[in-house]
Amino acid sequence: LEPWTFKHTASSRGGRFEDWTMEGLISVHPARDVTIVGCVLPICTILTCWIIALSLGHVALWPWPMISDCGCETPEKWIFRLGLTVSSTFLVREAFLVRDYIKRAAMLSGRAISGTSPEDVSVYLATIASFGLAGCATVSENEQSDLHGALAVMFFVFDIAYMFVISWRINSLDAVHFPAQTIKKVLSVIAASVFVVFVIVNAMGLPQWTQAIAEWVGTIVILLFNGSFCYEFGNKMFIADGYSDTAAVATRETALIQDSVPLCHPLIIAPATSRPPRVVAIPYTC
């Protein structure tokens, strides 16, 4: 592609703007693809493993099994481990996308926060939660039950905290940037409520199927929360591979907005990357 002029938005560094030229783009992908994969892949992984485990007699149709019960035996355990481990990386990647999107929306709303912002904290929460997801997927409850349980709790606690931090933060910004704001609030409350129910039924020693239903519902709600950012990203946010000869720019990840484009027009948002190119996700909001 022909060289493009971009305006770099460094909201975390005071909202400065710098013009520079990207000499070429290699590929461009909608950021919502990351969100879709991060939501659909784990759900498909869990359902696939449940079907295999059910067909092989590893779990019963009733009482309803725990999610981890569907990934304990061969061959489904290998699908379970691979699918959820890969899913955890997409969830972390989306957390960075969400952070950048919120930073841009905060700047446009005049509510940017200098220093460490809630959206920065949310990335740490999502990263820890994803470690928990990958860990409980790879450590079977048949192998180390206590460690598996601790990692599962890590996933739920930190991901629910992530949901509330994000919901609280976007509530302070202009609603035009977050069309699914209400959905996120509702899903956050449902996830927290289901987790409390899970803890109560576990403490009371109720039948395991009650815990299993709470676990399934909580997991699906968390994934739907992440998937809801498809509404925000839409056709306004992209991930691009490209390069620039500007050494100072090529050494850092930057948020870029194409110059001379009407407001709210879907933009190609491309990162400054060095050779060989690396991928950086960048937001744009109206």
Side-chain angles (χ1 to χ4, degrees):
L1 299 177
E2 293 298 322
W4 290 357
T5 297
F6 293 87
K7 194 177 287 287
H8 165 222
T9 306
S11 58
S12 62
R13 299 194 268 290
R16 299 193 306 271
F17 290 91
E18 304 169 4
D19 290 332
W20 60 280
T21 298
M22 173 175 280
E23 296 184 342
L25 287 178
I26 297 174
S27 64
V28 179
H29 309 282
R32 67 173 181 268
D33 289 354
V34 175
T35 302
I36 293 172
V37 174
C39 178
V40 174
L41 178 59
I43 292 177
C44 290
T45 297
I46 293 170
L47 291 178
T48 299
C49 292
W50 172 72
I51 292 172
I52 295 174
L54 184 63
S55 63
L56 296 177
H58 297 161
V59 298
L61 183 61
W62 190 262
W64 195 259
M66 301 288 286
I67 292 177
S68 54
D69 293 336
C70 303
C72 290
E73 304 293 339
T74 304
E76 64 269 17
K77 72 177 182 180
W78 303 114
I79 300 174
F80 191 83
R81 293 177 178 183
L82 179 61
L84 293 187
T85 301
V86 173
S87 298
S88 69
T89 65
F90 277 93
L91 293 177
V92 172
R93 185 59 173 147
E94 182 188 348
F96 281 91
L97 283 167
V98 171
R99 179 203 63 184
D100 292 341
Y101 185 94
I102 291 177
K103 280 185 177 294
R104 178 64 183 165
M107 189 180 67
L108 293 174
S109 302
R111 298 183 179 90
I113 298 176
S114 59
T116 302
S117 61
E119 53 269 29
D120 293 322
V121 174
S122 71
V123 171
Y124 294 108
L125 295 174
T127 301
I128 296 173
S130 295
F131 272 117
L133 175 60
C136 69
T138 54
V139 179
S140 170
E141 63 178 350
N142 289 346
E143 299 168 348
Q144 297 188 46
S145 178
D146 292 340
L147 179 58
H148 173 86
L151 291 168
V153 170
M154 178 190 296
F155 166 67
F156 282 106
V157 169
F158 281 91
D159 219 318
I160 291 172
Y162 167 79
M163 294 167 68
F164 272 93
V165 169
I166 291 296
S167 298
W168 170 75
R169 176 57 169 150
I170 65 178
N171 187 61
S172 66
L173 304 178
D174 293 342
V176 67
H177 304 300
F178 301 96
Q181 183 179 125
T182 301
I183 294 176
K184 290 175 177 58
K185 294 177 184 177
V186 172
L187 292 175
S188 299
V189 173
I190 293 175
S193 301
V194 169
F195 182 74
V196 170
V197 170
F198 177 86
V199 172
I200 292 175
V201 299
N202 184 56
M204 294 177 63
L206 296 179
Q208 191 180 55
W209 63 264
T210 58
Q211 303 172 38
I213 291 177
E215 181 189 41
W216 279 76
V217 173
T219 301
I220 292 173
V221 168
I222 287 174
L223 295 175
L224 289 177
F225 178 91
N226 287 279
S228 69
F229 278 96
C230 285
Y231 290 101
E232 279 76 22
F233 295 168
N235 292 320
K236 299 183 296 184
M237 187 168 181
F238 296 81
I239 301 172
D241 289 325
Y243 60 85
S244 171
D245 280 335
T246 307
V249 176
T251 57
R252 69 175 183 266
E253 297 180 355
T254 55
L256 308 168
I257 300 176
Q258 186 177 351
D259 230 353
S260 304
V261 177
L263 187 64
C264 297
H265 188 282
L267 300 182
I268 299 298
I269 308 303
T273 55
S274 57
R275 294 187 179 94
R278 55 195 172 92
V279 178
V280 182
I282 305 305
Y284 169 79
T285 55
C286 297

